Amino acid sequence: MSKDIAKKSATGIEDAQLNRLCEDAFSIIEAGRKNAYRAVNVAMVYSYFELGRRIVEEEQNGSSRAGYGAKLLTRLAAALTERYGRGFSDTNLRQMRNFYLVYSEDEIQQTLSAEFAGLPKTQEGRVFPLSWSHYLKLMRIKDIDERHFYEAETAKNNWSLAELNRQFDSALYERLTLSRDKDEVKKLAEKGQIVEKPSDLVKDPYVLEFVGLEEKPSYSESDLEGAIIDNLEKFLLEMGRGFTFVGRQVRFTFDEEHYFVDLVLFNRLLSCFVLVDLKIGKLRHQDLGQMQMYVNYFDRYERLESENPTIGIVLCKDKNDSMVELTLPKDNERIFASRYQTVLPSKDELRQLMDESAERFEATKLSGDVATAMEGSQ
């Protein structure tokens, strides 16, 4: 009897070892295939860029002949298709030509080179870390600063084409520029989003179209919270770089009273807790006071000595910016109030928000200049 038990036990151990070996083997092979696919995709992008260069050079040589360019592409497409099969139609060759024209005349300094030092460079010193599908999307973005931003963010965050489309459709670039001056906006274009201080994390508005809630106040805060948790990965992507999830409805007790923080996140780039409170209505000054208390509690009782001060973000449907500025201290870098939307904003809505943001920035700058002048005259 004991021999049978020992035999079964040994078989169980061998099965477990085999399962672990199989899982490791699967991971290694899949990672290798993914890397190989990525390498092939990148090589294809460089080939298309050089083919676009060669087409433009040949067109320029034959520019004196009427219709030369169109005939050239048609005949070249036929020759390449005959030799290599699909993928070299007139339309695809025009896209390669356009790819070269767009990126060869790019005047913004290439800032991805340092992060992707292993990639080859073009004659212009450019690197291409993304797939051809990504560049087909990027080429359609006319504003060069915006195009650079999305290229940098896609490369840094390893966005799929679907995620790039989602971030573009939600106007991430425009939303990030709302609270930044001209120099900071230029940095966005050159380097993507750089997180060095708490305000770098904040957007206004946040777009939560993935939660599937209609754009009307017919749902509760718990409905919104539940929808966010059901789409947690998308929510963390919308929040930005470096976020990890800690908990929902995180309870703490102080002076025999219980308090609940809707969402507790941690940002690895700033090494700090980020508390998120959800408000389905208009923001009140009491909401900011409540968040201040949450932040103070986490700073005193939860954060480690090695971690930075806690940040609080109140997400609301609507807010009065003047009330927010009056409630929070002038040197505030800890508590933020941002709107959220459950549908994708239109370009007109964002343009209006950008104009309002620019007016507020100029008004704040003017009041600061006046205050400084008055202090100097005393």
Short mmCIF file of all heavy atoms in Angstrom, two decimals, residues 129-184:
data_model
loop_
_atom_site.label_atom_id
_atom_site.label_comp_id
_atom_site.label_asym_id
_atom_site.label_seq_id
_atom_site.Cartn_x
_atom_site.Cartn_y
_atom_site.Cartn_z
N PRO A 129 11.08 53.33 -34.10
CA PRO A 129 10.86 52.22 -33.17
C PRO A 129 9.49 51.56 -33.29
O PRO A 129 9.23 50.57 -32.60
CB PRO A 129 10.99 52.90 -31.80
CG PRO A 129 10.49 54.29 -32.04
CD PRO A 129 10.91 54.64 -33.45
N LEU A 130 8.61 52.09 -34.15
CA LEU A 130 7.24 51.59 -34.21
C LEU A 130 6.98 50.78 -35.48
O LEU A 130 7.82 50.74 -36.38
CB LEU A 130 6.26 52.78 -34.14
CG LEU A 130 6.43 53.70 -32.93
CD1 LEU A 130 5.44 54.85 -33.02
CD2 LEU A 130 6.24 52.93 -31.63
N SER A 131 5.81 50.17 -35.54
CA SER A 131 5.46 49.36 -36.70
C SER A 131 4.95 50.25 -37.84
O SER A 131 4.61 51.42 -37.64
CB SER A 131 4.37 48.35 -36.32
OG SER A 131 3.12 49.01 -36.15
N TRP A 132 4.87 49.67 -39.02
CA TRP A 132 4.37 50.39 -40.19
C TRP A 132 2.93 50.85 -39.98
O TRP A 132 2.55 51.95 -40.37
CB TRP A 132 4.49 49.50 -41.41
CG TRP A 132 3.96 50.09 -42.68
CD1 TRP A 132 2.99 49.60 -43.49
CD2 TRP A 132 4.41 51.30 -43.32
NE1 TRP A 132 2.79 50.41 -44.57
CE2 TRP A 132 3.64 51.46 -44.51
CE3 TRP A 132 5.37 52.26 -43.02
CZ2 TRP A 132 3.82 52.54 -45.37
CZ3 TRP A 132 5.54 53.34 -43.89
CH2 TRP A 132 4.78 53.47 -45.04
N SER A 133 2.13 50.02 -39.32
CA SER A 133 0.73 50.39 -39.05
C SER A 133 0.66 51.64 -38.19
O SER A 133 -0.19 52.51 -38.39
CB SER A 133 0.00 49.24 -38.36
OG SER A 133 -0.06 48.10 -39.19
N HIS A 134 1.56 51.73 -37.19
CA HIS A 134 1.60 52.93 -36.35
C HIS A 134 1.93 54.17 -37.18
O HIS A 134 1.31 55.23 -37.02
CB HIS A 134 2.65 52.78 -35.25
CG HIS A 134 2.23 51.86 -34.14
ND1 HIS A 134 2.66 50.56 -34.07
CD2 HIS A 134 1.45 52.07 -33.05
CE1 HIS A 134 2.15 49.99 -32.99
NE2 HIS A 134 1.41 50.89 -32.35
N TYR A 135 2.91 54.04 -38.08
CA TYR A 135 3.32 55.21 -38.86
C TYR A 135 2.27 55.62 -39.89
O TYR A 135 2.17 56.80 -40.24
CB TYR A 135 4.68 54.97 -39.51
CG TYR A 135 5.81 55.10 -38.50
CD1 TYR A 135 6.51 53.99 -38.07
CD2 TYR A 135 6.13 56.34 -37.94
CE1 TYR A 135 7.51 54.10 -37.12
CE2 TYR A 135 7.13 56.46 -36.99
CZ TYR A 135 7.81 55.34 -36.58
OH TYR A 135 8.80 55.47 -35.62
N LEU A 136 1.50 54.66 -40.37
CA LEU A 136 0.40 55.03 -41.26
C LEU A 136 -0.59 55.94 -40.53
O LEU A 136 -1.15 56.87 -41.11
CB LEU A 136 -0.32 53.77 -41.76
CG LEU A 136 0.42 52.94 -42.81
CD1 LEU A 136 -0.36 51.68 -43.13
CD2 LEU A 136 0.68 53.76 -44.07
N LYS A 137 -0.80 55.67 -39.23
CA LYS A 137 -1.67 56.53 -38.41
C LYS A 137 -0.99 57.87 -38.15
O LYS A 137 -1.60 58.94 -38.30
CB LYS A 137 -1.99 55.82 -37.10
CG LYS A 137 -2.68 56.70 -36.06
CD LYS A 137 -4.07 57.13 -36.51
CE LYS A 137 -4.77 57.96 -35.44
NZ LYS A 137 -6.12 58.37 -35.88
N LEU A 138 0.26 57.84 -37.74
CA LEU A 138 0.97 59.07 -37.36
C LEU A 138 1.11 60.03 -38.54
O LEU A 138 1.02 61.25 -38.36
CB LEU A 138 2.36 58.72 -36.81
CG LEU A 138 2.38 57.99 -35.46
CD1 LEU A 138 3.79 57.48 -35.15
CD2 LEU A 138 1.89 58.91 -34.34
N MET A 139 1.30 59.50 -39.73
CA MET A 139 1.46 60.36 -40.90
C MET A 139 0.24 61.22 -41.17
O MET A 139 0.35 62.28 -41.80
CB MET A 139 1.77 59.52 -42.14
CG MET A 139 3.21 59.07 -42.26
SD MET A 139 3.53 58.32 -43.87
CE MET A 139 2.62 56.78 -43.75
N ARG A 140 -0.91 60.79 -40.69
CA ARG A 140 -2.14 61.54 -40.93
C ARG A 140 -2.33 62.68 -39.94
O ARG A 140 -3.28 63.46 -40.06
CB ARG A 140 -3.35 60.59 -40.89
CG ARG A 140 -3.36 59.58 -42.01
CD ARG A 140 -4.73 58.92 -42.17
NE ARG A 140 -5.04 58.02 -41.07
CZ ARG A 140 -4.73 56.73 -41.05
NH1 ARG A 140 -4.09 56.19 -42.07
NH2 ARG A 140 -5.06 55.96 -40.04
N ILE A 141 -1.45 62.78 -38.94
CA ILE A 141 -1.52 63.88 -37.97
C ILE A 141 -0.72 65.05 -38.54
O ILE A 141 0.50 64.98 -38.66
CB ILE A 141 -0.95 63.44 -36.60
CG1 ILE A 141 -1.73 62.24 -36.08
CG2 ILE A 141 -1.01 64.60 -35.61
CD1 ILE A 141 -1.19 61.67 -34.77
N LYS A 142 -1.39 66.12 -38.90
CA LYS A 142 -0.75 67.22 -39.61
C LYS A 142 0.16 68.06 -38.71
O LYS A 142 1.21 68.52 -39.14
CB LYS A 142 -1.82 68.11 -40.26
CG LYS A 142 -2.60 67.39 -41.36
CD LYS A 142 -3.62 68.32 -42.00
CE LYS A 142 -4.39 67.59 -43.10
NZ LYS A 142 -5.40 68.48 -43.74
N ASP A 143 -0.27 68.29 -37.46
CA ASP A 143 0.52 69.11 -36.56
C ASP A 143 1.78 68.35 -36.16
O ASP A 143 1.71 67.27 -35.57
CB ASP A 143 -0.30 69.46 -35.31
CG ASP A 143 0.46 70.39 -34.39
OD1 ASP A 143 1.21 69.90 -33.52
OD2 ASP A 143 0.32 71.62 -34.53
N ILE A 144 2.95 68.90 -36.46
CA ILE A 144 4.20 68.18 -36.24
C ILE A 144 4.47 67.93 -34.75
O ILE A 144 4.98 66.88 -34.36
CB ILE A 144 5.38 68.94 -36.89
CG1 ILE A 144 6.64 68.09 -36.82
CG2 ILE A 144 5.60 70.30 -36.25
CD1 ILE A 144 7.78 68.66 -37.62
N ASP A 145 4.12 68.91 -33.89
CA ASP A 145 4.33 68.73 -32.46
C ASP A 145 3.46 67.59 -31.93
O ASP A 145 3.92 66.75 -31.14
CB ASP A 145 3.99 70.02 -31.70
CG ASP A 145 5.00 71.12 -31.96
OD1 ASP A 145 6.11 70.79 -32.42
OD2 ASP A 145 4.69 72.30 -31.71
N GLU A 146 2.22 67.56 -32.37
CA GLU A 146 1.30 66.52 -31.93
C GLU A 146 1.76 65.15 -32.44
O GLU A 146 1.71 64.15 -31.71
CB GLU A 146 -0.11 66.83 -32.43
CG GLU A 146 -1.18 65.88 -31.93
CD GLU A 146 -2.57 66.26 -32.40
OE1 GLU A 146 -2.70 67.20 -33.21
OE2 GLU A 146 -3.53 65.61 -31.95
N ARG A 147 2.23 65.11 -33.67
CA ARG A 147 2.70 63.85 -34.25
C ARG A 147 3.89 63.31 -33.46
O ARG A 147 3.97 62.12 -33.15
CB ARG A 147 3.06 64.05 -35.71
CG ARG A 147 3.44 62.75 -36.42
CD ARG A 147 3.53 62.93 -37.92
NE ARG A 147 4.63 63.80 -38.31
CZ ARG A 147 4.50 64.93 -38.97
NH1 ARG A 147 3.30 65.38 -39.29
NH2 ARG A 147 5.56 65.65 -39.30
N HIS A 148 4.83 64.19 -33.13
CA HIS A 148 6.00 63.77 -32.35
C HIS A 148 5.59 63.25 -30.98
O HIS A 148 6.14 62.25 -30.49
CB HIS A 148 6.95 64.95 -32.16
CG HIS A 148 8.05 64.96 -33.17
ND1 HIS A 148 9.23 64.26 -33.01
CD2 HIS A 148 8.15 65.57 -34.36
CE1 HIS A 148 10.01 64.45 -34.05
NE2 HIS A 148 9.38 65.25 -34.89
N PHE A 149 4.63 63.93 -30.35
CA PHE A 149 4.18 63.52 -29.03
C PHE A 149 3.65 62.09 -29.05
O PHE A 149 4.02 61.25 -28.23
CB PHE A 149 3.10 64.47 -28.52
CG PHE A 149 2.36 63.96 -27.31
CD1 PHE A 149 2.92 64.04 -26.06
CD2 PHE A 149 1.11 63.39 -27.46
CE1 PHE A 149 2.25 63.54 -24.95
CE2 PHE A 149 0.42 62.90 -26.36
CZ PHE A 149 1.00 62.97 -25.10
N TYR A 150 2.75 61.80 -30.00
CA TYR A 150 2.15 60.47 -30.05
C TYR A 150 3.17 59.40 -30.43
O TYR A 150 3.07 58.25 -29.97
CB TYR A 150 0.97 60.46 -31.02
CG TYR A 150 -0.27 61.10 -30.44
CD1 TYR A 150 -0.77 62.30 -30.94
CD2 TYR A 150 -0.94 60.50 -29.37
CE1 TYR A 150 -1.91 62.89 -30.39
CE2 TYR A 150 -2.07 61.09 -28.82
CZ TYR A 150 -2.55 62.28 -29.33
OH TYR A 150 -3.66 62.86 -28.77
N GLU A 151 4.15 59.75 -31.25
CA GLU A 151 5.20 58.78 -31.56
C GLU A 151 6.00 58.44 -30.30
O GLU A 151 6.26 57.26 -30.01
CB GLU A 151 6.13 59.31 -32.65
CG GLU A 151 7.22 58.32 -33.04
CD GLU A 151 8.20 58.88 -34.04
OE1 GLU A 151 8.26 60.12 -34.21
OE2 GLU A 151 8.92 58.09 -34.66
N ALA A 152 6.39 59.48 -29.55
CA ALA A 152 7.17 59.27 -28.34
C ALA A 152 6.40 58.47 -27.29
O ALA A 152 6.92 57.53 -26.68
CB ALA A 152 7.61 60.61 -27.75
N GLU A 153 5.12 58.81 -27.09
CA GLU A 153 4.31 58.12 -26.08
C GLU A 153 4.04 56.67 -26.48
O GLU A 153 4.05 55.77 -25.63
CB GLU A 153 2.98 58.85 -25.88
CG GLU A 153 3.11 60.14 -25.09
CD GLU A 153 3.61 59.90 -23.68
OE1 GLU A 153 2.88 59.32 -22.87
OE2 GLU A 153 4.78 60.25 -23.39
N THR A 154 3.81 56.43 -27.77
CA THR A 154 3.58 55.07 -28.24
C THR A 154 4.81 54.20 -28.01
O THR A 154 4.72 53.05 -27.57
CB THR A 154 3.19 55.05 -29.72
OG1 THR A 154 2.02 55.85 -29.91
CG2 THR A 154 2.91 53.65 -30.21
N ALA A 155 5.99 54.77 -28.31
CA ALA A 155 7.23 54.02 -28.13
C ALA A 155 7.52 53.76 -26.65
O ALA A 155 7.89 52.65 -26.27
CB ALA A 155 8.39 54.79 -28.76
N LYS A 156 7.32 54.77 -25.81
CA LYS A 156 7.62 54.62 -24.38
C LYS A 156 6.67 53.65 -23.68
O LYS A 156 7.08 52.88 -22.81
CB LYS A 156 7.53 55.99 -23.69
CG LYS A 156 8.67 56.93 -24.01
CD LYS A 156 8.46 58.25 -23.28
CE LYS A 156 9.58 59.23 -23.56
NZ LYS A 156 9.36 60.52 -22.85
N ASN A 157 5.40 53.70 -24.07
CA ASN A 157 4.38 52.91 -23.38
C ASN A 157 4.01 51.63 -24.10
O ASN A 157 3.15 50.89 -23.63
CB ASN A 157 3.12 53.76 -23.19
CG ASN A 157 3.38 54.98 -22.32
OD1 ASN A 157 3.76 54.86 -21.15
ND2 ASN A 157 3.19 56.17 -22.88
N ASN A 158 4.67 51.38 -25.24
CA ASN A 158 4.40 50.16 -26.01
C ASN A 158 2.92 50.05 -26.37
O ASN A 158 2.31 48.98 -26.24
CB ASN A 158 4.85 48.93 -25.22
CG ASN A 158 4.99 47.71 -26.12
OD1 ASN A 158 5.24 47.83 -27.32
ND2 ASN A 158 4.81 46.53 -25.55
N TRP A 159 2.33 51.16 -26.82
CA TRP A 159 0.92 51.16 -27.20
C TRP A 159 0.70 50.33 -28.45
O TRP A 159 1.47 50.41 -29.42
CB TRP A 159 0.43 52.57 -27.49
CG TRP A 159 0.22 53.43 -26.27
CD1 TRP A 159 0.15 53.01 -24.97
CD2 TRP A 159 0.06 54.84 -26.25
NE1 TRP A 159 -0.05 54.09 -24.14
CE2 TRP A 159 -0.11 55.22 -24.89
CE3 TRP A 159 0.03 55.82 -27.23
CZ2 TRP A 159 -0.30 56.55 -24.51
CZ3 TRP A 159 -0.15 57.14 -26.86
CH2 TRP A 159 -0.33 57.50 -25.51
N SER A 160 -0.36 49.56 -28.46
CA SER A 160 -0.81 48.91 -29.68
C SER A 160 -1.41 49.98 -30.60
O SER A 160 -1.64 51.12 -30.17
CB SER A 160 -1.86 47.85 -29.36
OG SER A 160 -3.01 48.47 -28.81
N LEU A 161 -1.69 49.59 -31.84
CA LEU A 161 -2.33 50.54 -32.75
C LEU A 161 -3.70 50.94 -32.22
O LEU A 161 -4.10 52.12 -32.30
CB LEU A 161 -2.46 49.93 -34.14
CG LEU A 161 -3.17 50.79 -35.19
CD1 LEU A 161 -2.43 52.11 -35.39
CD2 LEU A 161 -3.32 50.03 -36.50
N ALA A 162 -4.43 49.99 -31.64
CA ALA A 162 -5.75 50.29 -31.08
C ALA A 162 -5.64 51.30 -29.95
O ALA A 162 -6.46 52.22 -29.84
CB ALA A 162 -6.42 49.01 -30.59
N GLU A 163 -4.62 51.17 -29.09
CA GLU A 163 -4.46 52.10 -27.98
C GLU A 163 -4.01 53.47 -28.49
O GLU A 163 -4.44 54.50 -27.97
CB GLU A 163 -3.46 51.55 -26.97
CG GLU A 163 -3.29 52.41 -25.72
CD GLU A 163 -4.60 52.63 -24.96
OE1 GLU A 163 -5.49 51.76 -25.02
OE2 GLU A 163 -4.74 53.70 -24.33
N LEU A 164 -3.15 53.51 -29.50
CA LEU A 164 -2.76 54.78 -30.10
C LEU A 164 -3.99 55.49 -30.65
O LEU A 164 -4.18 56.70 -30.45
CB LEU A 164 -1.74 54.55 -31.21
CG LEU A 164 -1.44 55.75 -32.11
CD1 LEU A 164 -0.89 56.93 -31.31
CD2 LEU A 164 -0.46 55.37 -33.22
N ASN A 165 -4.85 54.75 -31.36
CA ASN A 165 -6.07 55.34 -31.90
C ASN A 165 -6.96 55.88 -30.78
O ASN A 165 -7.55 56.96 -30.89
CB ASN A 165 -6.84 54.30 -32.72
CG ASN A 165 -6.23 54.07 -34.09
OD1 ASN A 165 -5.67 54.99 -34.68
ND2 ASN A 165 -6.30 52.85 -34.58
N ARG A 166 -7.06 55.11 -29.70
CA ARG A 166 -7.90 55.53 -28.58
C ARG A 166 -7.36 56.80 -27.92
O ARG A 166 -8.11 57.74 -27.64
CB ARG A 166 -7.96 54.39 -27.55
CG ARG A 166 -8.99 54.61 -26.44
CD ARG A 166 -8.35 55.14 -25.19
NE ARG A 166 -9.34 55.75 -24.32
CZ ARG A 166 -9.03 56.47 -23.26
NH1 ARG A 166 -7.78 56.67 -22.93
NH2 ARG A 166 -9.97 57.03 -22.54
N GLN A 167 -6.06 56.86 -27.72
CA GLN A 167 -5.47 58.05 -27.09
C GLN A 167 -5.60 59.27 -28.01
O GLN A 167 -5.84 60.38 -27.54
CB GLN A 167 -4.00 57.79 -26.76
CG GLN A 167 -3.75 56.70 -25.73
CD GLN A 167 -4.14 57.11 -24.32
OE1 GLN A 167 -4.64 58.21 -24.08
NE2 GLN A 167 -3.94 56.22 -23.37
N PHE A 168 -5.45 59.06 -29.31
CA PHE A 168 -5.62 60.18 -30.25
C PHE A 168 -7.07 60.63 -30.28
O PHE A 168 -7.35 61.84 -30.24
CB PHE A 168 -5.16 59.76 -31.64
CG PHE A 168 -5.38 60.83 -32.68
CD1 PHE A 168 -4.50 61.89 -32.79
CD2 PHE A 168 -6.47 60.77 -33.54
CE1 PHE A 168 -4.70 62.89 -33.74
CE2 PHE A 168 -6.68 61.76 -34.48
CZ PHE A 168 -5.78 62.83 -34.59
N ASP A 169 -8.00 59.69 -30.35
CA ASP A 169 -9.42 60.04 -30.40
C ASP A 169 -9.87 60.75 -29.13
O ASP A 169 -10.80 61.57 -29.15
CB ASP A 169 -10.27 58.79 -30.61
CG ASP A 169 -10.11 58.21 -32.01
OD1 ASP A 169 -9.62 58.93 -32.89
OD2 ASP A 169 -10.44 57.02 -32.20
N SER A 170 -9.23 60.42 -27.99
CA SER A 170 -9.58 61.09 -26.74
C SER A 170 -8.81 62.40 -26.56
O SER A 170 -8.90 63.04 -25.53
CB SER A 170 -9.29 60.16 -25.55
OG SER A 170 -7.89 60.00 -25.35
N ALA A 171 -8.02 62.78 -27.60
CA ALA A 171 -7.31 64.06 -27.63
C ALA A 171 -6.36 64.21 -26.43
O ALA A 171 -6.33 65.24 -25.77
CB ALA A 171 -8.29 65.22 -27.67
N LEU A 172 -5.56 63.18 -26.18
CA LEU A 172 -4.63 63.22 -25.05
C LEU A 172 -3.69 64.42 -25.14
O LEU A 172 -3.45 65.10 -24.15
CB LEU A 172 -3.82 61.92 -25.02
CG LEU A 172 -2.71 61.87 -23.96
CD1 LEU A 172 -3.28 61.96 -22.56
CD2 LEU A 172 -1.88 60.59 -24.12
N TYR A 173 -3.16 64.68 -26.32
CA TYR A 173 -2.21 65.78 -26.47
C TYR A 173 -2.84 67.11 -26.10
O TYR A 173 -2.27 67.90 -25.33
CB TYR A 173 -1.71 65.83 -27.92
CG TYR A 173 -0.76 66.97 -28.20
CD1 TYR A 173 0.53 66.97 -27.69
CD2 TYR A 173 -1.16 68.05 -28.99
CE1 TYR A 173 1.41 68.02 -27.96
CE2 TYR A 173 -0.30 69.10 -29.26
CZ TYR A 173 0.98 69.07 -28.74
OH TYR A 173 1.83 70.12 -28.99
N GLU A 174 -4.03 67.37 -26.62
CA GLU A 174 -4.70 68.64 -26.31
C GLU A 174 -5.02 68.76 -24.82
O GLU A 174 -4.87 69.82 -24.22
CB GLU A 174 -6.00 68.77 -27.11
CG GLU A 174 -5.79 69.05 -28.59
CD GLU A 174 -5.77 67.76 -29.40
OE1 GLU A 174 -5.47 66.69 -28.81
OE2 GLU A 174 -6.04 67.82 -30.62
N ARG A 175 -5.42 67.64 -24.21
CA ARG A 175 -5.77 67.69 -22.79
C ARG A 175 -4.54 67.97 -21.92
O ARG A 175 -4.64 68.66 -20.91
CB ARG A 175 -6.44 66.38 -22.37
CG ARG A 175 -7.85 66.24 -22.93
CD ARG A 175 -8.54 65.00 -22.42
NE ARG A 175 -8.02 63.78 -22.99
CZ ARG A 175 -7.70 62.69 -22.30
NH1 ARG A 175 -7.81 62.70 -20.99
NH2 ARG A 175 -7.27 61.60 -22.90
N LEU A 176 -3.41 67.43 -22.31
CA LEU A 176 -2.19 67.68 -21.54
C LEU A 176 -1.68 69.10 -21.71
O LEU A 176 -1.03 69.65 -20.83
CB LEU A 176 -1.10 66.68 -21.94
CG LEU A 176 -1.29 65.25 -21.44
CD1 LEU A 176 -0.21 64.34 -22.03
CD2 LEU A 176 -1.23 65.19 -19.92
N THR A 177 -1.96 69.70 -22.86
CA THR A 177 -1.49 71.06 -23.10
C THR A 177 -2.32 72.11 -22.37
O THR A 177 -1.90 73.27 -22.25
CB THR A 177 -1.49 71.40 -24.60
OG1 THR A 177 -2.83 71.30 -25.11
CG2 THR A 177 -0.58 70.45 -25.37
N LEU A 178 -3.50 71.73 -21.86
CA LEU A 178 -4.40 72.71 -21.24
C LEU A 178 -3.76 73.42 -20.06
O LEU A 178 -3.98 74.61 -19.85
CB LEU A 178 -5.68 72.02 -20.78
CG LEU A 178 -6.66 71.61 -21.90
CD1 LEU A 178 -7.84 70.86 -21.31
CD2 LEU A 178 -7.15 72.83 -22.66
N SER A 179 -2.98 72.71 -19.25
CA SER A 179 -2.42 73.29 -18.03
C SER A 179 -0.92 73.57 -18.16
O SER A 179 -0.22 73.68 -17.15
CB SER A 179 -2.67 72.34 -16.85
OG SER A 179 -2.08 71.08 -17.10
N ARG A 180 -0.43 73.70 -19.38
CA ARG A 180 1.00 73.91 -19.58
C ARG A 180 1.28 75.18 -20.36
O ARG A 180 0.50 75.56 -21.22
CB ARG A 180 1.61 72.70 -20.32
CG ARG A 180 1.75 71.46 -19.44
CD ARG A 180 2.00 70.22 -20.28
NE ARG A 180 2.41 69.09 -19.48
CZ ARG A 180 1.57 68.34 -18.78
NH1 ARG A 180 0.29 68.62 -18.79
NH2 ARG A 180 2.01 67.32 -18.07
N ASP A 181 2.42 75.81 -20.05
CA ASP A 181 2.81 76.99 -20.81
C ASP A 181 3.51 76.55 -22.11
O ASP A 181 3.66 75.36 -22.37
CB ASP A 181 3.71 77.91 -19.98
CG ASP A 181 5.00 77.23 -19.52
OD1 ASP A 181 5.45 76.26 -20.19
OD2 ASP A 181 5.56 77.65 -18.50
N LYS A 182 3.94 77.52 -22.92
CA LYS A 182 4.48 77.21 -24.24
C LYS A 182 5.74 76.34 -24.17
O LYS A 182 5.92 75.43 -24.98
CB LYS A 182 4.78 78.50 -25.00
CG LYS A 182 3.52 79.28 -25.39
CD LYS A 182 3.88 80.53 -26.17
CE LYS A 182 2.61 81.28 -26.58
NZ LYS A 182 2.92 82.52 -27.33
N ASP A 183 6.61 76.61 -23.19
CA ASP A 183 7.84 75.82 -23.07
C ASP A 183 7.53 74.37 -22.73
O ASP A 183 8.15 73.44 -23.27
CB ASP A 183 8.75 76.42 -22.00
CG ASP A 183 9.34 77.76 -22.43
OD1 ASP A 183 9.39 78.01 -23.66
OD2 ASP A 183 9.72 78.56 -21.56
N GLU A 184 6.58 74.17 -21.84
CA GLU A 184 6.21 72.81 -21.45
C GLU A 184 5.52 72.06 -22.59
O GLU A 184 5.69 70.86 -22.75
CB GLU A 184 5.32 72.83 -20.21
CG GLU A 184 6.06 73.23 -18.93
CD GLU A 184 5.14 73.26 -17.74
OE1 GLU A 184 4.00 73.76 -17.87
OE2 GLU A 184 5.55 72.79 -16.66
#
